[in-house]
Amino acid sequence: MDNSNKKQIVISPVTRIEGHAKISLQMDDSGQVTDARFHVNEFRGFEKFCEGRLYTEMPVISARICGICPVSHAISSVKACEMIQGVEPTYAGNLLRRLMHVGQNISSHALAFFHLSSPDLLLGYDSDPAKRNILGIAEKYRDVAIRGIRLRKFGQEISERITGKKIHAMGIAPGGIAFPLTEENRLALLNWIPEAKETIHIGINIIKKFHDENEAMVKSFSPTPTLYLGTVGSGGQHELYDGKLRFVDADGVILQDHVEPKRYLEFIAERSVNWSYLKSPYYKPYGFEKGIYRVGPLARLNVASRMKTPEAQVEFEQFKKINNSKPVHGTFYFHYARLIEALSGIEEAEIILNDKLITDKHVQHFARWNNHVGIGCSEAPRGTLFHHYITENTGKIKKVNLLIATGQNNPAMNRSILDVAQQYIHGDKIEEGMLNRVESAIRCYDPCLSCSTHAMGDMPFMVELVNAEGKILKRIARDN
Amino acid sequence: MSKKKIATVWLGGCSGCHMSLLDIDERILEVAQLADIVKCPIVDGKEFPEVDIALVEGAITSDEHLKEILHIRKQSKILISLGDCAIMTNVTGMRNYFNLKDVLETSYVGSISNDDAGEMPNHWALLKLKDKVYPLQEIVEVDYSIPGCPPSADAIFYVLSELLNDRIPDLSEAKKMKHG
Ligand code: SF4
């Protein structure tokens, strides 16, 4: 495995992540990057400490896996609970949950684009790192910054207006939700839609302009093909909340269609690797080496036959032209895909808020423990998310399995980092702008573990040239 | 008067406390007028600089966190525990009831979706987990705590704006302390 004659570069976002992730690049003697590893340094042990808890506690506990996509965890979890109870949510309860889920997707995508990525796009990859953040954007493009902040706020506000809390909302419970929506809150959200739409179109224009002006870079940005997994509705349409799984291959051929999420173990396996706390899932029929697949906005657009809403459909058709209706592999297009999803989310929120039954008071069905096993799935902002619980007769949890979006992108992220590093780093001369490009390969995936860490700007870099034992040969800090 | 310096840090937590900080929305621009946010998981690869206020999310779960919090304490005039994980380990500390080896094996060996070829994470580049998770005040002196999971954005903004205006925040004001 590790050969101590080979040099490694470790990119350790020391100050940013405080140990949450590191990248190491292995070089051969001629200065070519030969391997890339994304070391995820976080572990909290949910699978173990949830054992022995009551299954109905899971939506609340598991939301604490992530402060950026707590609703997705609560939704996947509550669906698993509903399978255990054998109960369906009420119409209004289900719709309110769908609305919250859409809201979270909007706020998470707004954060990823406006707070985290727009500084690179608007100020430039090689601009002053101290300013390359949302506050730097506020100095130069005040309107864009404020709009971005307010779009994220709109998404968060949906949760607040339904449950009284923006993050880790209570009340998402088997059978529906604990709180109905008031007419006053419905109107407040509905009135926000036009502004939200305007903002997302501004974002879409920013990304398109960037695509036009940087065509070569955008096209060549880590375009290694992979398989894709996403959820689709009954007509193959893009879907985030409720649907069936679809896998497509690198040419867009559908490998599996309309798979019930509870069959996920037939198609997905994962492997623990000694160099990361994040496991490496793969498409089981193709095996560990060949089964690299991606999830998230790019994957969902690649698997979908169409969008559900008209304005998003217009963009989707343009997106499909990028690679002649075949899957779009270029990692840079994650940004565009994310914005199209956010637009679709805003349109869907409008439709839901106009549903006559959205303020219905009958929000929850009640049932009790009936089945041992529950498996729930939803599309988190970063991809397909599975919760799987096995319970005892009393409803006590015996086993928990969580398959998280960022985990599923892990093997592809490694591949993308390698692609970019090989393209931009030759020899042991390392320039700041190059590092930022390696980093931005990760940022394209918007991995959960680092969202909050670069929530206000940029990732710092400490690069270390080390040998395989970890002895530092040379250290280069990004110049501020 | 020179601008104050703020740092925010994410240790063993879910990032929800940082998201709640972001939920102060446009008011972030007001904060930026009064202070430079010198290290908000941002800025660059330099050492943690001297700051007036450090907001710390999350509990101490590993050797790296421990080193860090000691350093942060040295560098910060005011250290604030942001949220329940920092204050009393909360969900992050739920693993304290189990043996660390069991906790790791449940995820990396015994998981239903794992294949048979896996290895336990033990690479030199990875942090070493502590047997138990610790709240901040068990390791360092903490000046203020903002409770909640996460604390509300209003509570965070209130504390920040009081401190930035050289006032002592009155955390007993119940309405500012809405949390869940
Ligand atoms: S206190 Fe709650 S919101 Fe904050 S890090 Fe801990 S679990 Fe997340």
Side-chain angles (χ1 to χ4, degrees):
Chain A
M1 273 203 49
D2 285 336
N3 175 343
S4 53
N5 293 325
K6 286 184 179 165
K7 278 183 200 158
Q8 289 187 352
I9 303 175
V10 176
I11 300 177
S12 176
V14 187
T15 52
R16 166 187 89 109
I17 299 209
E18 314 301 357
H20 287 223
K22 283 179 189 167
I23 300 165
S24 71
L25 305 172
Q26 184 139 22
M27 297 181 110
D28 64 15
D29 294 335
S30 67
Q32 287 296 315
V33 178
T34 56
D35 198 7
R37 285 172 173 183
F38 183 50
H39 307 279
V40 174
N41 253 333
E42 201 192 35
F43 175 74
R44 287 188 296 151
F46 279 81
E47 283 96 340
K48 181 71 197 178
F49 68 62
C50 290
E51 286 176 8
R53 314 288 311 195
L54 209 58
Y55 71 99
T56 46
E57 291 183 289
M58 290 304 288
V60 174
I61 297 176
S62 68
R64 267 75 180 177
I65 290 170
C66 174
I68 304 163
C69 60
V71 179
S72 299
H73 282 284
I75 294 293
S76 288
S77 175
V78 86
K79 286 187 186 177
C81 294
E82 282 165 353
M83 184 169 153
I84 287 170
Q85 293 188 341
V87 71
E88 296 264 322
T90 64
Y91 181 82
N94 199 38
L95 210 53
L96 285 169
R97 289 192 333 205
R98 184 182 269 277
L99 182 60
M100 283 180 70
H101 196 246
V102 155
Q104 174 198 264
N105 202 54
I106 295 167
S107 64
S108 175
H109 284 358
L111 173 74
F113 186 76
F114 287 98
H115 295 65
L116 309 183
S117 304
S118 77
D120 282 342
L121 305 174
L122 291 173
L123 304 174
Y125 281 97
D126 304 308
S127 63
D128 177 6
K131 297 261 178 202
R132 207 166 48 210
N133 55 52
I134 186 74
L135 296 172
I137 291 285
E139 276 174 28
K140 257 189 121 169
Y141 304 94
R142 201 177 166 82
D143 184 55
V144 173
I146 290 181
R147 277 179 168 280
I149 289 170
R150 282 185 55 79
L151 183 63
R152 178 177 175 277
K153 184 179 183 178
F154 169 64
Q156 299 287 88
E157 195 79 15
I158 291 179
S159 174
E160 169 88 31
R161 289 195 178 261
I162 297 173
T163 69
K165 209 162 165 247
K166 288 184 172 172
I167 299 162
H168 300 330
M170 304 297 283
I172 295 180
I177 196 165
F179 316 104
L181 179 68
T182 65
E183 177 61 14
E184 184 199 338
N185 282 328
R186 183 185 78 87
L187 287 174
L189 292 173
L190 199 55
N191 288 337
W192 205 318
I193 298 279
E195 179 196 325
K197 270 194 198 165
E198 256 173 54
T199 301
I200 205 69
H201 281 295
I202 289 171
I204 289 174
N205 287 338
I206 292 173
I207 200 73
K208 283 186 172 165
K209 187 157 170 271
F210 191 89
H211 286 172
D212 288 345
E213 289 168 0
N214 301 275
E215 211 186 320
M217 180 276 226
V218 169
K219 283 205 168 128
S220 64
F221 198 90
S222 186
T224 309
T226 60
L227 315 176
Y228 296 94
L229 162 65
T231 301
V232 291
S234 55
Q237 72 274 27
H238 177 266
E239 176 57 49
L240 297 173
Y241 177 78
D242 234 348
K244 306 275 158 56
L245 308 176
R246 179 182 277 180
F247 287 88
V248 304
D249 73 7
D251 294 321
V253 176
I254 294 178
L255 299 171
Q256 306 290 340
D257 207 6
H258 298 296
V259 173
E260 286 279 357
K262 63 179 181 219
R263 292 175 52 206
Y264 79 105
L265 286 175
E266 293 170 41
F267 303 100
I268 302 170
E270 51 181 352
R271 182 168 298 177
S272 316
V273 290
N274 75 354
W275 43 270
S276 180
Y277 284 113
L278 197 56
K279 294 192 270 192
S280 295
Y282 55 93
Y283 179 61
K284 218 168 166 178
Y286 283 12
F288 183 68
E289 301 292 336
K290 297 214 166 74
I292 295 185
Y293 67 94
R294 289 191 276 185
V295 296
L298 187 72
R300 290 189 290 246
L301 261 58
N302 278 338
V303 305
S305 313
R306 62 178 170 84
M307 300 302 286
K308 286 191 290 195
T309 53
E311 288 182 43
Q313 176 64 18
V314 172
E315 293 299 331
F316 179 75
E317 282 162 18
Q318 298 197 25
F319 173 87
K320 283 287 168 192
K321 284 194 192 129
I322 295 171
N323 194 22
N324 299 321
S325 298
K326 294 207 164 155
V328 173
H329 301 299
T331 301
F332 204 85
Y333 293 106
F334 258 97
H335 295 301
Y336 186 31
R338 200 170 281 128
L339 292 170
I340 298 173
E341 284 198 330
L343 171 59
S344 144
I346 297 164
E347 289 181 280
E348 187 174 0
E350 185 176 14
I351 296 168
I352 296 173
L353 287 163
N354 279 318
D355 191 300
K356 287 205 173 51
L357 287 172
I358 189 68
T359 49
D360 194 77
K361 301 277 179 294
H362 184 41
V363 286
Q364 194 178 0
H365 286 143
F366 294 92
R368 52 180 279 284
W369 181 90
N370 279 307
N371 302 301
H372 284 106
V373 178
I375 299 173
C377 169
S378 66
E379 287 288 334
R382 288 154 198 81
T384 323
L385 168 65
F386 299 89
H387 280 220
H388 182 172
Y389 312 145
I390 299 171
T391 61
E392 295 172 10
N393 283 349
T394 50
K396 243 168 60 174
I397 299 261
K398 215 156 69 181
K399 197 136 191 63
V400 171
N401 196 36
L402 305 165
L403 198 63
I404 292 178
T406 296
Q408 295 169 86
N409 279 333
N410 191 23
M413 266 192 282
N414 279 290
R415 178 88 77 80
S416 288
I417 295 164
L418 180 61
D419 282 353
V420 176
Q422 284 179 332
Q423 201 178 342
Y424 286 98
I425 299 181
H426 297 284
D428 53 9
K429 190 171 180 305
I430 300 151
E431 285 164 20
E432 196 275 325
M434 289 181 182
L435 296 182
N436 195 33
R437 283 178 178 88
V438 173
E439 170 212 358
S440 65
I442 305 174
R443 183 173 302 152
C444 283
Y445 292 93
D446 183 23
C448 231
L449 58 120
S450 65
C451 281
S452 76
T453 58
H454 50 290
M456 303 218 18
D458 219 332
M459 197 190 276
F461 267 148
M462 174 79 80
V463 175
E464 294 170 345
L465 272 169
V466 297
N467 67 15
E469 282 77 46
K471 189 159 172 287
I472 298 163
L473 304 172
K474 187 174 168 190
R475 171 179 282 174
I476 309 152
R478 175 140 81 186
D479 197 12
N480 195 12
Chain B
M1 196 179 73
S2 72
K3 262 175 130 185
K4 289 200 167 48
K5 291 192 172 73
I6 300 180
T8 79
V9 188
W10 176 28
L11 301 179
C14 76
S15 82
C17 290
H18 269 83
M19 289 303 109
S20 198
L21 171 64
L22 278 191
D23 281 339
I24 69 174
D25 302 318
E26 299 97 316
R27 289 174 290 177
I28 190 85
L29 303 177
E30 284 172 47
V31 172
Q33 300 245 301
L34 294 173
D36 285 324
I37 301 172
V38 292
K39 191 160 157 30
C40 172
I42 73 169
V43 191
D44 71 358
K46 285 185 189 152
E47 293 292 290
F48 191 99
E50 283 188 15
V51 296
D52 296 284
I53 303 169
L55 288 159
V56 183
E57 165 189 330
I60 309 296
T61 70
S62 65
D63 57 346
E64 288 194 19
H65 288 165
L66 183 66
K67 245 199 325 214
E68 242 177 288
I69 194 68
L70 293 172
H71 186 62
I72 292 166
R73 177 65 275 185
K74 243 194 263 152
Q75 300 289 81
S76 317
K77 288 201 189 110
I78 298 174
L79 192 156
I80 303 177
S81 286
L82 180 64
D84 290 350
C85 287
I87 297 170
M88 43 96 168
T89 77
N90 194 27
V91 177
T92 307
M94 282 169 71
R95 77 162 162 87
N96 284 354
Y97 298 98
F98 303 90
N99 167 314
L100 177 61
K101 192 165 162 278
D102 283 353
V103 178
L104 286 163
E105 282 177 355
T106 303
S107 292
Y108 298 105
V109 183
S111 139
I112 315 173
S113 44
N114 262 40
D115 65 14
D116 304 330
E119 299 168 298
M120 289 288 277
N122 63 358
H123 195 264
W124 55 263
L126 297 180
L127 49 74
K128 302 279 167 294
L129 293 164
K130 297 227 147 270
D131 285 339
K132 296 283 178 251
V133 174
Y134 300 94
L136 301 192
Q137 76 275 5
E138 211 160 296
I139 314 280
V140 292
E141 206 167 303
V142 171
D143 301 299
Y144 294 95
S145 297
I146 315 180
C149 178
S152 74
D154 287 346
I156 299 171
F157 181 72
Y158 168 74
V159 171
L160 274 183
S161 53
E162 292 295 287
L163 291 173
L164 291 176
N165 286 300
D166 294 316
R167 291 189 295 264
I168 296 174
D170 175 6
L171 295 173
S172 67
E173 280 187 64
K175 77 177 200 314
K176 304 224 162 60
M177 303 310 298
K178 183 184 109 183
H179 58 83

